[in-house]
Every structure is written in structure tokens, then in C-alpha cells.
Amino acid sequence: MVGTQFTRANVLVVVVLITHLFLGRSQVAIGQPTFVLDASLWQLQVSNADPVYRYNVGVRPWFSPNAVVESLIGPDGSVLVPSIGRNRISIQENAVPFSTIQEVFSGTWKFIERRDAELLEYEFTLPEITPDFFPEAPTIVSPIQGDTVGTDFILDWQYESGANPLGSAGQIGLTRGLTLLRRESIDPTSERIFLGFDPGFSEGEVTMRKGSSETRPLIIIPASLGADATFQSRLLGIAALSVPVTVTARIPEPTTIMLLGTAVVLLSATRRNRIT
């Protein structure tokens, strides 16, 4: 009996110690602010003109109630602060020229975190941009500009070098009344697109770009004493997209659907005849 009581006491002490250690570590983890800091740069090909660029730089807390975003300072000295009532910063510019990218994107950025009355500074550097900085941009080969498609069609693109990219990127813009239901990858240069129409709509326009992408890590350096926040994500995304292609999406008329169904039946019969 004494031995049993002694064992239970030991177990109780061990449980208390483990609980104390676990809670202590959890409190340290909870007390340490955590942020997500990322950036992206897109090269957008334009027909018969130089490419334009889109960039985004942003920082926000990551499940960390005590993480406070104070400001973000760009290489050109511009200071960005959160909007009223928000605890995050995101700057995005579209269709800017190459010279602007070199001035406002490339270089050393500063992120300022607030802890009570103390301001803590971190630095990260976005790389110098050159014309050959981006991966190869493809060309959309089907459908082509001005085509009419249904609510289910195949998008094909190709690279002049013949290589397949490591990562894929794309943009799809839809006019009012159209909805992108889903996309299904077929192979590295082909995908199937499914569209839907809102009630009262049967036609709209779809503008598409396809391209390749890659990511690079961002190195964030504490620049002031006590700057010990953690960063859940710190990545730079890079993408190069094709010249856009705009097509008309239309719900097939019943007659067209019947003809398509007949064609499928005939095709199936032909295949069966060939097999036999």
C-alpha cells in the first residue's frame, strides 16, 4: 500500500512538472509576436509593347493577438501605415513600367513592429530587377483572341523554348454575370476551365493570361535590440505571364447541345466499329 501511494505521488509530481513546462513554453510562444511577410512581382506581356509589371508587398499578424503592425518603409523612403481599424499593410500597384519597379520595389525595405510604446525594426532586401530576371512567358495557342467558347473549354499554351516550367501561374478576368467554377490541370501546358452564369445571364467575356512562376526566400534581419518576432512565411513570388487573350463565353443553344450529343454518339459508334 505504501509503495502504491509513493508511485502515485511520483506520477502526480511528474504530471505537474510536465504541465508547468508545457504551459511555460506555450506562454513564451504566445508572447512572441508572429507575422507573415511576403512579396510578389509579376511581369505581364503586352502585345506589340514592352512588358508592364504588377507588384505587392505586405505584412500581417499570424494568429498572434499581440503582434502589432506599425509601418512599412520602401526603398524610396515612402512610409506605409495600416488603414484605420486594420492591423496589416499591403501595397499593390498594377501595370507599372520597368523603371518604376527598379525604383520602388528593388532595395532594402523596413518593417516596424510596435510593442506597447516600443518600436522594433526589421529589414529585408528585394533583389535588383533586370530584364532576364523572370522565367519564360508562354503564348496562349487555344482559344485565340475573339473566339467564342462554351461553359467548358480547354486552355492551351506553349513555351518557345519547349521547356515545361517548375511552377504555373495565371489570371482570369470575368465580366459581370460570369463565374469561374473550377479549373482542372490536364498537363503542364493545358487545363480545363468550367464557367457558370448567374441567373439572367447567358453571355460574357473571359480574359486569360498563363505563365510560369517561382519562389525565393526573403531574409529578414532584426535591425534593433529586442526585435525577436518570428515570421511564419517570408517569400518572394516571381511570375511571368503571357499576352492576354479575350474570348466570348456563351451558353450553347439547345440545338447546338443536341448536335454535340449526336456527334458524340456517332464518334462512339465509329470507335466501336474500328475496334471490331
Side-chain angles (χ1 to χ4, degrees), residues 55-104:
Y55 73 90
N56 178 85
V57 182
V59 60
R60 65 186 187 277
W62 176 260
F63 295 105
S64 184
N66 61 333
V68 179
V69 175
E70 176 69 16
S71 62
L72 191 63
I73 304 173
D76 60 350
S78 57
V79 180
L80 306 168
V81 297
S83 303
I84 296 175
R86 295 178 65 85
N87 187 25
R88 62 178 62 194
I89 295 173
S90 182
I91 174 175
Q92 178 175 309
E93 295 290 343
N94 296 295
V96 299
F98 184 73
S99 57
T100 300
I101 285 296
Q102 290 180 310
E103 179 181 352
V104 304

Side-chain angles (χ1 to χ4, degrees), residues 3-225:
T4 302
Q5 292 176 345
F6 179 76
T7 302
R8 289 178 178 174
N10 283 343
V11 170
L12 180 60
V13 170
V14 171
V15 170
V16 170
L17 287 174
I18 292 175
T19 304
H20 176 74
L21 290 172
F22 176 77
L23 290 177
R25 290 179 180 179
S26 298
Q27 289 172 356
V28 170
I30 292 173
Q32 189 174 27
T34 303
F35 299 90
V36 169
L37 195 157
D38 50 28
S40 62
L41 179 60
W42 299 58
Q43 183 188 65
L44 309 175
Q45 299 295 327
V46 179
S47 181
N48 301 320
D50 291 334
V52 294
Y53 299 84
R54 187 187 82 183
Y55 73 90
N56 178 85
V57 182
V59 60
R60 65 186 187 277
W62 176 260
F63 295 105
S64 184
N66 61 333
V68 179
V69 175
E70 176 69 16
S71 62
L72 191 63
I73 304 173
D76 60 350
S78 57
V79 180
L80 306 168
V81 297
S83 303
I84 296 175
R86 295 178 65 85
N87 187 25
R88 62 178 62 194
I89 295 173
S90 182
I91 174 175
Q92 178 175 309
E93 295 290 343
N94 296 295
V96 299
F98 184 73
S99 57
T100 300
I101 285 296
Q102 290 180 310
E103 179 181 352
V104 304
F105 187 83
S106 299
T108 300
W109 290 71
K110 296 179 181 180
F111 162 53
I112 311 299
E113 169 205 359
R114 175 179 290 278
R115 294 191 197 174
D116 297 325
E118 186 178 13
L119 299 180
L120 303 174
E121 182 178 309
Y122 306 83
E123 292 183 354
F124 61 99
T125 300
L126 295 179
E128 180 181 357
I129 308 302
T130 59
D132 59 353
F133 178 80
F134 297 87
E136 181 182 3
T139 300
I140 294 177
V141 294
S142 179
I144 62 173
Q145 181 73 21
D147 275 355
T148 298
V149 299
T151 53
D152 171 0
F153 66 94
I154 305 297
L155 174 65
D156 293 308
W157 60 97
Q158 66 183 18
Y159 292 85
E160 186 176 358
S161 67
N164 290 329
L166 294 177
S168 178
Q171 289 180 337
I172 293 184
L174 306 170
T175 55
R176 183 170 174 265
L178 261 177
T179 302
L180 176 63
L181 299 180
R182 68 183 187 277
R183 296 187 293 184
E184 295 180 356
S185 177
I186 299 174
D187 56 48
T189 58
S190 183
E191 68 181 11
R192 191 171 183 177
I193 295 178
F194 296 87
L195 303 174
F197 282 95
D198 295 339
F201 292 87
S202 60
E203 184 176 310
E205 288 191 345
V206 185
T207 300
M208 301 165 288
R209 292 181 185 266
K210 285 304 299 184
S212 50
S213 65
E214 60 185 51
T215 57
R216 303 183 184 183
L218 285 177
I219 299 175
I220 302 173
I221 302 173
S224 60
L225 293 176

Side-chain angles (χ1 to χ4, degrees), residues 233-247:
S233 174
R234 37 187 172 182
L235 294 173
L236 167 62
I238 304 161
L241 300 188
S242 66
V243 172
V245 167
T246 299
V247 299

